[in-house]
mmCIF file of all heavy atoms in Angstrom:
data_model
loop_
_atom_site.group_PDB
_atom_site.id
_atom_site.type_symbol
_atom_site.label_atom_id
_atom_site.label_comp_id
_atom_site.label_asym_id
_atom_site.label_seq_id
_atom_site.Cartn_x
_atom_site.Cartn_y
_atom_site.Cartn_z
ATOM 1 N N PHE A 1 0.818 -1.232 0.025
ATOM 2 C CA PHE A 1 0.077 0.026 0.013
ATOM 3 C C PHE A 1 0.875 1.278 -0.013
ATOM 4 O O PHE A 1 0.665 2.156 -0.837
ATOM 5 C CB PHE A 1 -0.943 -0.003 1.222
ATOM 6 C CG PHE A 1 -1.557 1.378 1.519
ATOM 7 C CD1 PHE A 1 -2.415 1.921 0.656
ATOM 8 C CD2 PHE A 1 -1.206 2.023 2.679
ATOM 9 C CE1 PHE A 1 -2.937 3.166 0.876
ATOM 10 C CE2 PHE A 1 -1.726 3.273 2.946
ATOM 11 C CZ PHE A 1 -2.621 3.820 2.034
ATOM 12 N N LEU A 2 1.824 1.337 0.885
ATOM 13 C CA LEU A 2 2.656 2.535 0.971
ATOM 14 C C LEU A 2 3.583 2.719 -0.245
ATOM 15 O O LEU A 2 3.966 3.834 -0.542
ATOM 16 C CB LEU A 2 3.544 2.412 2.263
ATOM 17 C CG LEU A 2 2.866 2.434 3.545
ATOM 18 C CD1 LEU A 2 3.748 2.106 4.761
ATOM 19 C CD2 LEU A 2 2.144 3.803 3.823
ATOM 20 N N GLY A 3 3.882 1.600 -0.906
ATOM 21 C CA GLY A 3 4.706 1.747 -2.134
ATOM 22 C C GLY A 3 3.896 2.128 -3.392
ATOM 23 O O GLY A 3 4.464 1.978 -4.488
ATOM 24 N N ASN A 4 2.738 2.615 -3.196
ATOM 25 C CA ASN A 4 1.862 3.056 -4.305
ATOM 26 C C ASN A 4 2.329 4.449 -4.800
ATOM 27 O O ASN A 4 1.587 5.393 -4.670
ATOM 28 C CB ASN A 4 0.423 3.124 -3.800
ATOM 29 C CG ASN A 4 -0.591 3.451 -4.877
ATOM 30 O OD1 ASN A 4 -0.354 3.184 -6.050
ATOM 31 N ND2 ASN A 4 -1.648 4.161 -4.483
ATOM 32 N N ILE A 5 3.548 4.504 -5.343
ATOM 33 C CA ILE A 5 4.140 5.715 -5.745
ATOM 34 C C ILE A 5 3.954 5.939 -7.259
ATOM 35 O O ILE A 5 4.077 4.978 -8.025
ATOM 36 C CB ILE A 5 5.639 5.821 -5.353
ATOM 37 C CG1 ILE A 5 5.844 5.675 -3.818
ATOM 38 C CG2 ILE A 5 6.291 7.027 -5.890
ATOM 39 C CD1 ILE A 5 7.197 5.609 -3.418
ATOM 40 N N LYS A 6 3.626 7.131 -7.650
ATOM 41 C CA LYS A 6 3.384 7.405 -9.091
ATOM 42 C C LYS A 6 4.683 7.905 -9.795
ATOM 43 O O LYS A 6 5.574 8.386 -9.067
ATOM 44 C CB LYS A 6 2.242 8.414 -9.276
ATOM 45 C CG LYS A 6 1.039 8.098 -8.494
ATOM 46 C CD LYS A 6 0.514 6.701 -8.803
ATOM 47 C CE LYS A 6 -0.546 6.225 -7.880
ATOM 48 N NZ LYS A 6 -0.845 4.826 -8.047
ATOM 49 N N GLY A 7 4.705 7.801 -11.101
ATOM 50 C CA GLY A 7 5.951 8.216 -11.738
ATOM 51 C C GLY A 7 5.769 8.661 -13.160
ATOM 52 O O GLY A 7 4.658 9.232 -13.589
ATOM 53 N N SER A 8 6.736 8.389 -14.005
ATOM 54 C CA SER A 8 6.812 8.937 -15.381
ATOM 55 C C SER A 8 5.683 8.427 -16.282
ATOM 56 O O SER A 8 5.159 9.223 -17.122
ATOM 57 C CB SER A 8 8.145 8.630 -15.979
ATOM 58 O OG SER A 8 8.337 7.187 -16.049
ATOM 59 N N LEU A 9 5.253 7.166 -16.179
ATOM 60 C CA LEU A 9 4.269 6.683 -17.097
ATOM 61 C C LEU A 9 2.940 7.371 -16.847
ATOM 62 O O LEU A 9 2.166 7.671 -17.787
ATOM 63 C CB LEU A 9 4.104 5.126 -16.884
ATOM 64 C CG LEU A 9 3.175 4.476 -17.870
ATOM 65 C CD1 LEU A 9 3.495 4.765 -19.290
ATOM 66 C CD2 LEU A 9 3.057 2.963 -17.596
ATOM 67 N N SER A 10 2.606 7.695 -15.600
ATOM 68 C CA SER A 10 1.334 8.433 -15.300
ATOM 69 C C SER A 10 1.412 9.782 -15.969
ATOM 70 O O SER A 10 0.390 10.198 -16.580
ATOM 71 C CB SER A 10 1.212 8.618 -13.795
ATOM 72 O OG SER A 10 1.000 7.308 -13.170
ATOM 73 N N MET A 11 2.566 10.455 -15.972
ATOM 74 C CA MET A 11 2.657 11.805 -16.563
ATOM 75 C C MET A 11 2.632 11.654 -18.117
ATOM 76 O O MET A 11 1.975 12.509 -18.758
ATOM 77 C CB MET A 11 3.958 12.438 -16.120
ATOM 78 C CG MET A 11 4.026 12.755 -14.637
ATOM 79 S SD MET A 11 5.497 13.604 -14.084
ATOM 80 C CE MET A 11 5.196 15.233 -14.783
ATOM 81 N N ALA A 12 3.248 10.606 -18.604
ATOM 82 C CA ALA A 12 3.172 10.447 -20.072
ATOM 83 C C ALA A 12 1.782 10.216 -20.590
ATOM 84 O O ALA A 12 1.336 10.778 -21.618
ATOM 85 C CB ALA A 12 4.123 9.234 -20.482
ATOM 86 N N LEU A 13 0.985 9.376 -19.885
ATOM 87 C CA LEU A 13 -0.369 9.159 -20.245
ATOM 88 C C LEU A 13 -1.257 10.429 -20.103
ATOM 89 O O LEU A 13 -2.169 10.678 -20.903
ATOM 90 C CB LEU A 13 -0.976 8.001 -19.504
ATOM 91 C CG LEU A 13 -0.442 6.636 -19.779
ATOM 92 C CD1 LEU A 13 -1.188 5.580 -18.933
ATOM 93 C CD2 LEU A 13 -0.549 6.309 -21.257
ATOM 94 N N ALA A 14 -0.951 11.226 -19.087
ATOM 95 C CA ALA A 14 -1.740 12.474 -18.905
ATOM 96 C C ALA A 14 -1.434 13.388 -20.116
ATOM 97 O O ALA A 14 -2.362 13.985 -20.611
ATOM 98 C CB ALA A 14 -1.301 13.144 -17.599
ATOM 99 N N LEU A 15 -0.202 13.464 -20.576
ATOM 100 C CA LEU A 15 0.138 14.345 -21.738
ATOM 101 C C LEU A 15 -0.495 13.715 -22.996
ATOM 102 O O LEU A 15 -0.692 14.455 -23.968
ATOM 103 C CB LEU A 15 1.670 14.406 -21.924
ATOM 104 C CG LEU A 15 2.358 15.181 -20.815
ATOM 105 C CD1 LEU A 15 3.930 15.068 -21.020
ATOM 106 C CD2 LEU A 15 1.951 16.601 -20.825
ATOM 107 N N GLY A 16 -0.738 12.360 -22.976
ATOM 108 C CA GLY A 16 -1.343 11.738 -24.150
ATOM 109 C C GLY A 16 -2.811 11.783 -24.264
ATOM 110 O O GLY A 16 -3.452 11.300 -25.207
ATOM 111 N N ILE A 17 -3.502 12.466 -23.286
ATOM 112 C CA ILE A 17 -4.915 12.619 -23.356
ATOM 113 C C ILE A 17 -5.199 13.551 -24.551
ATOM 114 O O ILE A 17 -4.679 14.673 -24.640
ATOM 115 C CB ILE A 17 -5.496 13.229 -22.048
ATOM 116 C CG1 ILE A 17 -5.298 12.259 -20.862
ATOM 117 C CG2 ILE A 17 -6.987 13.540 -22.220
ATOM 118 C CD1 ILE A 17 -5.673 12.855 -19.558
ATOM 119 N N PRO A 18 -6.059 13.160 -25.459
ATOM 120 C CA PRO A 18 -6.356 13.961 -26.713
ATOM 121 C C PRO A 18 -6.933 15.353 -26.326
ATOM 122 O O PRO A 18 -7.666 15.481 -25.289
ATOM 123 C CB PRO A 18 -7.338 13.157 -27.529
ATOM 124 C CG PRO A 18 -7.140 11.780 -26.942
ATOM 125 C CD PRO A 18 -6.813 11.893 -25.520
ATOM 126 N N ALA A 19 -6.706 16.312 -27.153
ATOM 127 C CA ALA A 19 -7.257 17.630 -26.989
ATOM 128 C C ALA A 19 -8.813 17.639 -27.026
ATOM 129 O O ALA A 19 -9.453 18.586 -26.549
ATOM 130 C CB ALA A 19 -6.690 18.626 -27.982
ATOM 131 N N THR A 20 -9.391 16.617 -27.622
ATOM 132 C CA THR A 20 -10.836 16.509 -27.817
ATOM 133 C C THR A 20 -11.508 16.212 -26.442
ATOM 134 O O THR A 20 -12.723 16.353 -26.327
ATOM 135 C CB THR A 20 -11.208 15.420 -28.832
ATOM 136 O OG1 THR A 20 -10.587 14.200 -28.457
ATOM 137 C CG2 THR A 20 -10.713 15.814 -30.172
ATOM 138 N N VAL A 21 -10.736 15.729 -25.472
ATOM 139 C CA VAL A 21 -11.312 15.437 -24.160
ATOM 140 C C VAL A 21 -11.514 16.725 -23.414
ATOM 141 O O VAL A 21 -10.515 17.482 -23.228
ATOM 142 C CB VAL A 21 -10.407 14.461 -23.375
ATOM 143 C CG1 VAL A 21 -10.893 14.298 -21.973
ATOM 144 C CG2 VAL A 21 -10.285 13.130 -24.071
ATOM 145 N N MET A 22 -12.690 17.030 -22.997
ATOM 146 C CA MET A 22 -13.015 18.277 -22.283
ATOM 147 C C MET A 22 -12.211 18.367 -20.999
ATOM 148 O O MET A 22 -12.192 17.405 -20.247
ATOM 149 C CB MET A 22 -14.465 18.364 -22.012
ATOM 150 C CG MET A 22 -14.943 19.759 -21.442
ATOM 151 S SD MET A 22 -16.728 19.815 -21.275
ATOM 152 C CE MET A 22 -17.244 19.533 -22.929
ATOM 153 N N GLY A 23 -11.623 19.520 -20.716
ATOM 154 C CA GLY A 23 -10.886 19.732 -19.458
ATOM 155 C C GLY A 23 -9.558 19.046 -19.378
ATOM 156 O O GLY A 23 -9.030 18.747 -18.371
ATOM 157 N N ARG A 24 -8.926 18.859 -20.640
ATOM 158 C CA ARG A 24 -7.680 18.098 -20.660
ATOM 159 C C ARG A 24 -6.628 18.798 -19.805
ATOM 160 O O ARG A 24 -5.801 18.210 -19.037
ATOM 161 C CB ARG A 24 -7.185 18.047 -22.080
ATOM 162 C CG ARG A 24 -5.830 17.398 -22.277
ATOM 163 C CD ARG A 24 -5.314 17.565 -23.681
ATOM 164 N NE ARG A 24 -3.989 16.905 -23.862
ATOM 165 C CZ ARG A 24 -2.831 17.517 -23.574
ATOM 166 N NH1 ARG A 24 -2.855 18.723 -23.084
ATOM 167 N NH2 ARG A 24 -1.697 16.887 -23.773
ATOM 168 N N GLY A 25 -6.506 20.155 -19.873
ATOM 169 C CA GLY A 25 -5.508 20.877 -19.063
ATOM 170 C C GLY A 25 -5.639 20.642 -17.597
ATOM 171 O O GLY A 25 -4.656 20.459 -16.880
ATOM 172 N N GLU A 26 -6.869 20.654 -17.138
ATOM 173 C CA GLU A 26 -7.049 20.417 -15.658
ATOM 174 C C GLU A 26 -6.695 19.003 -15.319
ATOM 175 O O GLU A 26 -6.168 18.777 -14.143
ATOM 176 C CB GLU A 26 -8.539 20.698 -15.316
ATOM 177 C CG GLU A 26 -8.961 22.127 -15.388
ATOM 178 C CD GLU A 26 -9.124 22.678 -16.780
ATOM 179 O OE1 GLU A 26 -9.090 21.860 -17.712
ATOM 180 O OE2 GLU A 26 -9.276 23.905 -16.966
ATOM 181 N N LEU A 27 -6.945 18.044 -16.150
ATOM 182 C CA LEU A 27 -6.592 16.638 -15.904
ATOM 183 C C LEU A 27 -5.052 16.497 -15.808
ATOM 184 O O LEU A 27 -4.516 15.806 -14.919
ATOM 185 C CB LEU A 27 -7.169 15.695 -16.923
ATOM 186 C CG LEU A 27 -8.709 15.610 -17.028
ATOM 187 C CD1 LEU A 27 -9.093 14.602 -18.086
ATOM 188 C CD2 LEU A 27 -9.313 15.351 -15.714
ATOM 189 N N VAL A 28 -4.349 17.109 -16.739
ATOM 190 C CA VAL A 28 -2.907 17.069 -16.699
ATOM 191 C C VAL A 28 -2.336 17.664 -15.459
ATOM 192 O O VAL A 28 -1.430 17.091 -14.800
ATOM 193 C CB VAL A 28 -2.326 17.828 -17.971
ATOM 194 C CG1 VAL A 28 -0.822 17.890 -17.841
ATOM 195 C CG2 VAL A 28 -2.690 17.095 -19.284
ATOM 196 N N THR A 29 -2.880 18.836 -15.022
ATOM 197 C CA THR A 29 -2.438 19.407 -13.764
ATOM 198 C C THR A 29 -2.740 18.526 -12.577
ATOM 199 O O THR A 29 -1.909 18.396 -11.655
ATOM 200 C CB THR A 29 -3.142 20.749 -13.566
ATOM 201 O OG1 THR A 29 -2.822 21.675 -14.684
ATOM 202 C CG2 THR A 29 -2.726 21.425 -12.303
ATOM 203 N N LEU A 30 -3.912 17.885 -12.589
ATOM 204 C CA LEU A 30 -4.260 16.985 -11.501
ATOM 205 C C LEU A 30 -3.296 15.804 -11.354
ATOM 206 O O LEU A 30 -2.862 15.488 -10.293
ATOM 207 C CB LEU A 30 -5.668 16.445 -11.781
ATOM 208 C CG LEU A 30 -6.529 15.917 -10.626
ATOM 209 C CD1 LEU A 30 -6.815 17.035 -9.610
ATOM 210 C CD2 LEU A 30 -7.834 15.329 -11.140
ATOM 211 N N VAL A 31 -2.952 15.251 -12.531
ATOM 212 C CA VAL A 31 -1.996 14.079 -12.509
ATOM 213 C C VAL A 31 -0.633 14.533 -12.060
ATOM 214 O O VAL A 31 0.034 13.924 -11.325
ATOM 215 C CB VAL A 31 -1.997 13.414 -13.893
ATOM 216 C CG1 VAL A 31 -0.905 12.338 -13.935
ATOM 217 C CG2 VAL A 31 -3.333 12.743 -14.173
ATOM 218 N N PHE A 32 -0.146 15.704 -12.663
ATOM 219 C CA PHE A 32 1.167 16.139 -12.356
ATOM 220 C C PHE A 32 1.353 16.404 -10.891
ATOM 221 O O PHE A 32 2.357 16.111 -10.256
ATOM 222 C CB PHE A 32 1.487 17.386 -13.131
ATOM 223 C CG PHE A 32 2.062 17.107 -14.515
ATOM 224 C CD1 PHE A 32 1.601 15.951 -15.231
ATOM 225 C CD2 PHE A 32 2.813 17.971 -15.197
ATOM 226 C CE1 PHE A 32 2.030 15.713 -16.510
ATOM 227 C CE2 PHE A 32 3.289 17.727 -16.496
ATOM 228 C CZ PHE A 32 2.901 16.547 -17.136
ATOM 229 N N GLY A 33 0.311 17.080 -10.283
ATOM 230 C CA GLY A 33 0.360 17.401 -8.817
ATOM 231 C C GLY A 33 0.347 16.148 -7.985
ATOM 232 O O GLY A 33 1.039 16.002 -6.981
ATOM 233 N N SER A 34 -0.484 15.123 -8.402
ATOM 234 C CA SER A 34 -0.499 13.829 -7.642
ATOM 235 C C SER A 34 0.842 13.132 -7.706
ATOM 236 O O SER A 34 1.344 12.562 -6.693
ATOM 237 C CB SER A 34 -1.561 12.954 -8.237
ATOM 238 O OG SER A 34 -2.892 13.579 -8.143
ATOM 239 N N VAL A 35 1.484 13.165 -8.944
ATOM 240 C CA VAL A 35 2.787 12.515 -9.042
ATOM 241 C C VAL A 35 3.801 13.223 -8.151
ATOM 242 O O VAL A 35 4.636 12.575 -7.496
ATOM 243 C CB VAL A 35 3.235 12.561 -10.539
ATOM 244 C CG1 VAL A 35 4.653 12.093 -10.639
ATOM 245 C CG2 VAL A 35 2.346 11.624 -11.357
ATOM 246 N N LEU A 36 3.812 14.566 -8.156
ATOM 247 C CA LEU A 36 4.796 15.310 -7.380
ATOM 248 C C LEU A 36 4.606 14.998 -5.893
ATOM 249 O O LEU A 36 5.609 14.649 -5.185
ATOM 250 C CB LEU A 36 4.626 16.775 -7.597
ATOM 251 C CG LEU A 36 5.551 17.710 -6.751
ATOM 252 C CD1 LEU A 36 6.993 17.412 -7.023
ATOM 253 C CD2 LEU A 36 5.223 19.163 -7.000
ATOM 254 N N LEU A 37 3.386 15.037 -5.338
ATOM 255 C CA LEU A 37 3.152 14.781 -3.944
ATOM 256 C C LEU A 37 3.484 13.278 -3.621
ATOM 257 O O LEU A 37 4.070 13.031 -2.532
ATOM 258 C CB LEU A 37 1.646 15.014 -3.576
ATOM 259 C CG LEU A 37 1.253 16.538 -3.674
ATOM 260 C CD1 LEU A 37 -0.235 16.616 -3.249
ATOM 261 C CD2 LEU A 37 2.088 17.392 -2.768
ATOM 262 N N SER A 38 3.244 12.409 -4.525
ATOM 263 C CA SER A 38 3.537 11.015 -4.302
ATOM 264 C C SER A 38 5.037 10.785 -4.223
ATOM 265 O O SER A 38 5.516 10.152 -3.285
ATOM 266 C CB SER A 38 2.941 10.139 -5.390
ATOM 267 O OG SER A 38 3.386 8.835 -5.343
ATOM 268 N N LEU A 39 5.802 11.394 -5.157
ATOM 269 C CA LEU A 39 7.237 11.167 -5.200
ATOM 270 C C LEU A 39 7.946 11.789 -3.968
ATOM 271 O O LEU A 39 8.876 11.222 -3.400
ATOM 272 C CB LEU A 39 7.808 11.757 -6.446
ATOM 273 C CG LEU A 39 7.577 10.921 -7.783
ATOM 274 C CD1 LEU A 39 7.998 11.747 -9.010
ATOM 275 C CD2 LEU A 39 8.384 9.672 -7.698
ATOM 276 N N VAL A 40 7.420 12.988 -3.588
ATOM 277 C CA VAL A 40 8.106 13.684 -2.468
ATOM 278 C C VAL A 40 7.694 13.081 -1.109
ATOM 279 O O VAL A 40 8.564 12.627 -0.381
ATOM 280 C CB VAL A 40 7.799 15.180 -2.486
ATOM 281 C CG1 VAL A 40 8.306 15.892 -1.301
ATOM 282 C CG2 VAL A 40 8.350 15.796 -3.798
ATOM 283 N N PHE A 41 6.418 13.041 -0.833
ATOM 284 C CA PHE A 41 6.013 12.641 0.527
ATOM 285 C C PHE A 41 6.083 11.181 0.714
ATOM 286 O O PHE A 41 6.600 10.673 1.688
ATOM 287 C CB PHE A 41 4.596 13.215 0.799
ATOM 288 C CG PHE A 41 4.568 14.741 0.943
ATOM 289 C CD1 PHE A 41 4.085 15.534 -0.139
ATOM 290 C CD2 PHE A 41 5.042 15.342 2.087
ATOM 291 C CE1 PHE A 41 4.045 16.879 0.011
ATOM 292 C CE2 PHE A 41 5.063 16.716 2.187
ATOM 293 C CZ PHE A 41 4.539 17.484 1.151
ATOM 294 N N GLN A 42 5.516 10.394 -0.224
ATOM 295 C CA GLN A 42 5.593 8.940 -0.124
ATOM 296 C C GLN A 42 7.088 8.476 -0.276
ATOM 297 O O GLN A 42 7.507 7.605 0.393
ATOM 298 C CB GLN A 42 4.686 8.238 -1.079
ATOM 299 C CG GLN A 42 3.179 8.306 -0.676
ATOM 300 C CD GLN A 42 2.351 7.543 -1.717
ATOM 301 O OE1 GLN A 42 1.792 8.131 -2.653
ATOM 302 N NE2 GLN A 42 2.307 6.237 -1.578
ATOM 303 N N GLY A 43 7.759 9.095 -1.243
ATOM 304 C CA GLY A 43 9.134 8.726 -1.456
ATOM 305 C C GLY A 43 10.039 8.922 -0.233
ATOM 306 O O GLY A 43 10.876 8.087 0.054
#
């Protein structure tokens, strides 16, 4: 459970969300922030 750390693949898929998906920018920010908090605090 504690090793549930996010990384590069999550960010790559977030960048790969097509522009046709509504709110793509907010989703990218959401994923990037989650990855950062995961790497710093869980790491």
Side-chain angles (χ1 to χ4, degrees):
F1 164 65
L2 294 171
N4 183 30
I5 298 177
K6 310 306 167 189
S8 56
L9 184 55
S10 294
M11 297 184 70
L13 289 184
L15 292 175
I17 297 175
T20 55
V21 175
M22 188 177 300
R24 176 188 181 276
E26 289 76 10
L27 297 183
V28 171
T29 301
L30 203 63
V31 172
F32 277 28
S34 301
V35 171
L36 177 62
L37 293 181
S38 174
L39 285 169
V40 174
F41 292 103
Q42 285 182 262

